[in-house]
Amino acid sequence: MHLKKLRWTDSTATNITHIMDQRGNKSAACHVMTRGKQEVPRELQLAVSPRSDMELLLKVVACFVALLHCSRAQASSFEEPSFHSSSELLLSSFHGDPEISDYCRELLHLFGQRYVSYVACLVSSARPVKVCLNCFMLYDGLTEIYSNISQVGPGNESCQVTLLRSDRLMLLYELYEKITEIWTTSHCSNCLFNDSLSSDTLHYMTKLNESLRCFESQKSNHSELCKECKTSYKLLNDLYGRMEKNKSLCIDIEDAMNMTRILWSKSFNCSIPREETVPVIAVSSFMLFLPIIFYLSSFLHSEQKKRKLIHPKRVKSSNSLMNIQDKHS
């Protein structure tokens, strides 16, 4: 059905107010007043009888009020609220800390980058533990930046006070102390020599890889694994013992040896007789039979004394004296 174009006449205002009064539908009125030369809803095409001028004026005023209400509603529906945080207000008022120089600000930026990189390396190397082997270079870089912050820089400029101790929190200092505590607890310095992995550490990792490759090749047959991998595992275990005595172990080597021993003993049910158990068994056996030997020797010695019983000489001398007296008498 073809709809006629809406023109603003008395009948238009009457129709709008009629719709608002009869149906309570303000959206239709808003649609008519804001869409302009659009198709008119069917309700607005109803014929309305002429009214008095006063009634017509009131209806026109009501239409303008409805138009104002619709314009406000549409404006509020299309405008997005803007929120300004307190930090944005502060940034708009204060452009940076005036006490921090460009040199210190650059050191602060580098410290943040290297700190994030080192923490990410620690997390990714948590299991299996390789926090020393994988992350020691990142730790060296972090300590270098912290040392630059703590010391006097070019032009006798020092950032220690402004970056480390300018507030009660001392955030950079506390962060670095936590990282240093992790490094010290892990004994990572025991596996390093001159900012690189030590020769003992590299030799141990080589032997560890040999044992693990042997385990992988024989894992389908545990009995053969215990025979074929016995030599490589024993060499690895002996090397670990020597490094333990020399105090050249870090957490990475300790964790790797523990996991290898668990695989050898629990997963594959293998074992190696320890060499020091032979003298222990010999000494224990001797101590066990020592009381038996003692009582047996005592018994034999007492029997021998019974066989070789000797009369005392005093009795013999008294008998000879009596014989001499009988002869004289």
Side-chain angles (χ1 to χ4, degrees):
M1 181 179 64
H2 179 70
L3 299 177
K4 297 181 180 180
K5 302 294 183 179
L6 177 66
R7 295 181 180 178
W8 187 259
T9 59
D10 295 343
S11 60
T12 304
T14 304
N15 289 336
I16 294 174
T17 53
H18 176 74
I19 296 171
M20 295 175 61
D21 293 339
Q22 298 298 326
R23 299 183 58 186
N25 189 359
K26 295 181 180 180
S27 61
C30 294
H31 178 75
V32 171
M33 290 181 288
T34 57
R35 295 293 295 270
K37 296 180 179 181
Q38 299 278 338
E39 292 182 355
V40 182
R42 184 177 181 180
E43 292 84 351
L44 297 183
Q45 300 180 17
L46 299 177
V48 182
S49 60
R51 304 291 183 125
S52 62
D53 295 338
M54 182 61 66
E55 185 177 359
L56 179 61
L57 179 62
L58 292 178
K59 291 182 181 296
V60 170
V61 171
C63 289
F64 279 106
V65 171
L67 178 62
L68 180 62
H69 174 74
C70 292
S71 62
R72 289 180 179 180
Q74 290 180 353
S76 61
S77 62
F78 286 104
E79 290 181 357
E80 295 182 356
S82 60
F83 300 97
H84 298 282
S85 62
S86 58
S87 61
E88 292 177 352
L89 296 176
L90 289 176
L91 289 177
S92 61
S93 302
F94 302 99
H95 299 283
D97 193 341
E99 296 183 357
I100 301 179
S101 63
D102 294 338
Y103 171 73
C104 296
R105 195 177 302 278
E106 181 65 22
L107 290 180
L108 178 62
H109 180 68
L110 291 176
F111 181 85
Q113 287 182 335
R114 298 189 181 185
Y115 191 93
V116 170
S117 300
Y118 180 63
V119 171
C121 182
L122 291 179
V123 173
S124 61
S125 303
R127 294 302 310 165
V129 181
K130 293 183 180 180
V131 295
C132 300
L133 302 180
N134 293 346
C135 310
F136 71 94
M137 296 183 67
L138 295 174
Y139 179 79
D140 291 342
L142 181 62
T143 54
E144 180 184 0
I145 293 298
Y146 188 83
S147 178
N148 293 337
I149 294 175
S150 304
Q151 297 175 359
V152 178
N156 294 328
E157 185 176 2
S158 177
C159 304
Q160 182 176 9
V161 176
T162 55
L163 295 183
L164 300 182
R165 304 183 183 276
S166 61
D167 51 71
R168 180 175 58 85
L169 184 59
M170 298 189 299
L171 183 60
L172 265 64
Y173 174 79
E174 293 294 334
L175 291 175
Y176 185 76
E177 285 296 315
K178 296 298 182 183
I179 290 297
T180 306
E181 182 180 355
I182 295 175
W183 179 268
T184 305
T185 306
S186 303
H187 301 289
C188 292
S189 58
N190 294 343
C191 292
L192 303 176
F193 182 75
N194 291 336
D195 297 333
S196 61
L197 298 177
S198 63
S199 58
D200 290 340
T201 302
L202 295 174
H203 183 54
Y204 175 83
M205 297 307 298
T206 301
K207 294 298 181 183
L208 175 64
N209 292 332
E210 291 178 1
S211 297
L212 294 180
R213 282 195 296 266
C214 184
F215 292 168
E216 184 68 21
S217 62
Q218 302 291 335
K219 63 181 181 180
S220 59
N221 191 343
H222 291 181
S223 60
E224 289 295 327
L225 185 146
C226 296
K227 296 178 182 178
E228 297 294 332
C229 305
K230 177 180 178 181
T231 303
S232 61
Y233 177 78
K234 188 176 183 301
L235 292 174
L236 178 67
N237 204 34
D238 294 342
L239 177 60
Y240 180 85
R242 291 194 299 269
M243 294 179 67
E244 188 176 12
K245 292 180 181 179
N246 298 332
K247 295 182 179 181
S248 56
L249 295 178
C250 59
I251 187 62
D252 297 16
I253 296 179
E254 293 176 3
D255 184 75
M257 193 67 219
N258 289 337
M259 295 302 297
T260 307
R261 286 174 174 174
I262 291 174
L263 289 174
W264 177 261
S265 60
K266 292 186 178 180
S267 299
F268 304 137
N269 295 322
C270 300
S271 62
I272 294 180
R274 302 176 66 88
E275 295 179 355
E276 57 268 21
T277 57
V278 177
V280 171
I281 294 174
V283 172
S284 301
S285 301
F286 175 75
M287 296 299 294
L288 179 63
F289 287 101
L290 186 60
I292 300 175
I293 296 172
F294 175 75
Y295 285 112
L296 182 60
S297 61
S298 299
F299 176 75
L300 294 177
H301 187 65
S302 61
E303 288 293 329
Q304 189 176 8
K305 280 187 175 182
K306 287 181 181 180
R307 293 180 194 149
K308 295 182 179 180
L309 183 60
I310 301 175
H311 296 284
K313 293 181 180 181
R314 187 174 180 181
V315 177
K316 185 177 180 181
S317 60
S318 62
N319 289 336
S320 60
L321 181 60
M322 290 178 62
N323 292 332
I324 294 171
Q325 288 178 359
D326 292 336
K327 287 181 180 180
H328 285 291
S329 59

